[in-house]
Structure formats: C-alpha cells, structure tokens
Amino acid sequence: MTQSSSPTPTPTPLSYKDAGVDIVAGDALVERIKPLAKKTMREGVLAGIGGFGALFEVPKRYKEPVLVSGTDGVGTKLKLAFEWNMHDTVGIDLVAMSVNDVLVQGAEPLFFLDYFACGKLDIDTAAAVVGGIAKGCELSGCALIGGETAEMPGMYPAGEYDLAGFAVGAVEKSKILTGANVKPGDVVLGLASSGVHSNGFSLVRKCIERSEAAGTVPATLDGKPFKQALMEPTRLYVLNVLAALAAHPHSNDATSPGGIKALAHITGGGLLENIPRVLPEGMAAHLKKGSWPKTELFAWLQATAGIDDIEMNRTFNNGIGMVVVVDAADADATAATLRASGEAVYTLGVIAAKGDGESVVVV
C-alpha cells in the first residue's frame, strides 16, 4: 500500500520590514534631508541628493586645480551622544574633522558625502544628525551632495549608530601648502579650539566615570553646562583661514617668500604629533608654555585624569585647534586678519633648527 506524502506547508510571508529594514522610513528620511542639503548648494553642483551618484564640476576659476580629499568619523564622542541624547551637533563634528584636514593644504572644500549606519532607523535622530552635517557644510561653504543611510539589523545596539564623512576640496597647484619653505624664525600662531573637538573621548569618558563615582562632576565648565561643554562641536576654521591665505599668500617657488607657509589641524595626537607633519626635516617648533590660556575644561580633564602636560599635549588639542606657521614679517598682520574674522589667535612660539636628539615640538 502506497503512503501519500503530506502537502508542504505554505511559509508565512516575510517582508524586508519584517527582517528589520524599513524602506518607507528610509524614504521619509531622504525627504527630510533634501531641504537641508539644498541650503548647502554652491557653484559646481550638477546633481545632488537622490541620484546614484552626485555630480560636481570643478569651478572654472581654477587654472590648475588639484583635488584634495579627506575622510574621518566622530569616534567615541558618539557614545556620549547616545547616552545624553544629544545628536544635533555630532554632524558638525563629522564635517569639521574632514574639511579642516583638507584646509591645511590650502584647499577650499567643494563637496561632502556622509555615511550613516544604524541597526534600526529612527527618523528623528537621523534627521538631527544630518541636520548637523548640513549646518557644518553650510558654515564651510561646502555642498552636501550625497551620502548613504544604511539600516543593518543586528549590527548595532538599539539607539546607536556610526558616522563617516568624506570631503573633497580643490587648490591651485601653485598654492598648495607643503611647509617645504618653513625656516628658523618663522612664527607659530595658534587658533583657539571650541573645546575637546572630536578626539580623546575614550579618555574623556573615563574622566566622566571617575568624576561621577567621586561625586565631583562640575555643574559648568567655561560658563557652559557640563554636558554642553563636552559636546561642543569642532570649530570650523575653513572660511576664516581661506580668507587669511588669500590676504597673506606664500608661493612655493619663492616669488612670494612671506605669508602663511603651513597649517596643522590639531586632532588625535595633539600638538606634539600634528605639528611635525607639516614641518620640513631639520626644523622644530619651540612653543612657549602658558602662551595660550588653559580653559576650565582642559584643567578639569587634566586634574581628573591625573596626567602631566606632555600627555595632555599628546592626547588633546588642549585649547588650540589649528596651528598657522607664518613668516615673521607677516605674523602680526596675519594674526590681525584672523582676529578680525572672529578667531582667537595666540603667538605660541617660533620655528628653530632641530638640535641633535631634540623633539620636533618643544613646549
């Protein structure tokens, strides 16, 4: 006797949304982003948000344009954004970390792309983050022309996300800042940071934990509520420094021997690790201790962590977010130009020939 087989049960339908990816939410976010991106449009944008690729034409005012690119993230500062539900400024950090890097070679940031990844898309949170990105682009004269929102169930804990940013700028080939002509006697100027910026937050978070355990968390730092002081976004130096470069140019072919010769964005590694990146071999930067003010924020970090000045200058920007190396003859005028645009400028020291066994940066 032949036994009949039972019919195979029909599987319950599974949609992409059942698997954790909400296409409708993604489309809704794009619609919220579009007006934010529109505010950042500038010359050169041919096609922006919504296409498979963003199109940009290098402005025709450039004779020999060289493209300069940079990419970065926000690091563990995001952990505080999650914990404190403060998402509206980390997008500015994201933009600043890349456009400030592009700037140090004398380049004007042209356009920016962002990558936002999460486990489950929260439209309000994502819109707040992208709103910060658009604001950072607007303040840098840089177009937000594209990006990617990736919803990846199981990849990130609930309420968390990650960010990456990509900036492309342009500079005339003859005006690229190489630092090659930096010489003894050149002056080192420092532009004040707005706070910790977006580096050293693994140590910052340890300081918060230690301070909370001891019940010594300050209510304010430098006149701002504690959380705001730590989350203050990275300062965008682009427009003011580009104006200073135009007013105080330096030519690599020595036809204009004065002017601004090098810039250094003070990020991870602080003053001690970043200034050497723009100095020619055999040169050292002699910085005078106390030549710039120590804020309550950095004093609190140093006291809480219990670290010395060397470790502070290697870990944090310590109050200086951008360094400008300028010919001594133009130092006062350059500082005046930067101050007139709203920068707090300090004379940190001078360039000298590097002695045997001497560090490249001496404080």
Side-chain angles (χ1 to χ4, degrees), residues 191-201 203-204 207 218 220-222 224 226 229-230 232 237 266-267 270-271 292-309 311-321:
L191 309 187
S193 67
S194 54
V196 186
H197 285 182
S198 191
N199 299 103
F201 270 86
L203 180 54
V204 169
C207 288
T220 63
L221 288 169
D222 302 305
K224 301 171 186 173
F226 178 73
L230 288 172
E232 192 70 27
Y237 298 99
I266 309 305
T267 56
L271 291 163
W292 72 97
K294 190 163 196 172
T295 64
E296 290 180 4
L297 170 58
F298 289 107
W300 173 79
L301 283 168
Q302 183 168 12
T304 305
I307 56 179
D308 60 22
D309 288 345
E311 190 66 18
M312 280 295 291
N313 284 323
R314 182 181 286 120
T315 304
F316 300 112
N317 67 58
N318 217 11
I320 298 296

Side-chain angles (χ1 to χ4, degrees), residues 25 39 59 129 162 175 194 209 250 261 284 326 339 341 355:
K39 289 183 179 179
V129 173
D162 199 10
K175 295 181 179 178
S194 54
E209 291 173 8
H250 174 77
K261 299 181 178 182
V326 61
R339 288 190 183 107
S341 66

Side-chain angles (χ1 to χ4, degrees), residues 27-348:
D27 291 342
L29 176 61
V30 171
E31 291 306 309
R32 295 233 338 228
I33 289 171
K34 281 182 178 179
L36 302 177
K38 190 174 181 181
K39 289 183 179 179
T40 72
M41 292 301 100
R42 51 159 293 158
E43 61 170 333
V45 178
L46 301 181
I49 300 291
F52 286 97
L55 303 178
F56 192 95
E57 180 180 41
V58 176
K60 291 182 172 58
R61 53 189 164 82
Y62 285 96
K63 294 182 178 122
E64 290 185 286
V66 173
L67 297 181
V68 183
S69 60
T71 182
D72 212 332
V74 181
T76 60
K77 188 174 187 177
L78 290 180
K79 285 286 190 181
L80 294 183
F82 307 151
E83 182 181 343
W84 294 342
N85 194 29
M86 298 173 72
H87 307 285
D88 57 338
T89 58
V90 290
I92 298 177
D93 284 302
L94 184 69
V95 174
M97 296 307 291
S98 288
V99 298
N100 285 344
D101 275 358
V102 166
L103 171 67
V104 301
Q105 288 173 287
E108 168 197 12
L110 298 175
F111 62 85
F112 190 84
L113 304 170
D114 70 275
Y115 176 79
F116 177 98
C118 59
K120 181 172 176 55
L121 182 61
D122 181 294
I123 297 175
D124 289 337
T125 297
V129 173
V130 177
I133 294 171
K135 185 67 174 176
C137 287
E138 192 178 349
L139 293 173
S140 302
C142 179
L144 176 60
I145 60 173
E148 171 69 9
T149 301
E151 190 174 23
M152 300 185 288
M155 286 290 288
Y156 298 92
E160 296 194 5
Y161 53 83
D162 199 10
L163 292 173
F166 314 88
V168 173
V171 59
E172 289 287 3
K173 192 173 183 178
S174 62
K175 295 181 179 178
I176 297 172
L177 288 182
T178 66
N181 293 333
V182 170
K183 69 180 191 304
D186 288 344
V187 174
V188 182
L189 302 177
L191 309 187
S193 67
S194 54
V196 186
H197 285 182
S198 191
N199 299 103
F201 270 86
S202 294
L203 180 54
V204 169
R205 287 164 48 236
K206 289 293 184 184
C207 288
I208 294 171
E209 291 173 8
R210 179 177 285 186
S211 196
E212 286 176 341
T216 58
V217 176
T220 63
L221 288 169
D222 302 305
K224 301 171 186 173
F226 178 73
K227 293 180 181 179
Q228 182 187 333
L230 288 172
M231 293 299 290
E232 192 70 27
T234 306
R235 185 166 178 80
L236 292 153
Y237 298 99
V238 172
L239 298 183
N240 293 341
V241 171
L242 284 176
L245 287 169
H248 309 281
H250 174 77
S251 174
N252 292 322
D253 62 9
T255 57
S256 175
I260 297 173
K261 299 181 178 182
L263 299 169
H265 184 201
I266 309 305
T267 56
L271 291 163
L272 301 188
E273 301 292 335
N274 285 291
I275 295 177
R277 297 168 66 182
V278 301
L279 297 183
E281 191 171 348
M283 293 294 107
H286 288 200
L287 311 184
K288 183 179 179 181
K289 185 177 178 179
S291 59
W292 72 97
K294 190 163 196 172
T295 64
E296 290 180 4
L297 170 58
F298 289 107
W300 173 79
L301 283 168
Q302 183 168 12
T304 305
I307 56 179
D308 60 22
D309 288 345
I310 294 175
E311 190 66 18
M312 280 295 291
N313 284 323
R314 182 181 286 120
T315 304
F316 300 112
N317 67 58
N318 217 11
I320 298 296
M322 183 71 71
V323 160
V324 181
V325 181
V326 61
D327 190 277
D330 293 313
D332 289 344
T334 301
T337 297
L338 288 162
R339 288 190 183 107
S341 66
E343 299 293 341
V345 186
Y346 306 99
T347 300
L348 305 185

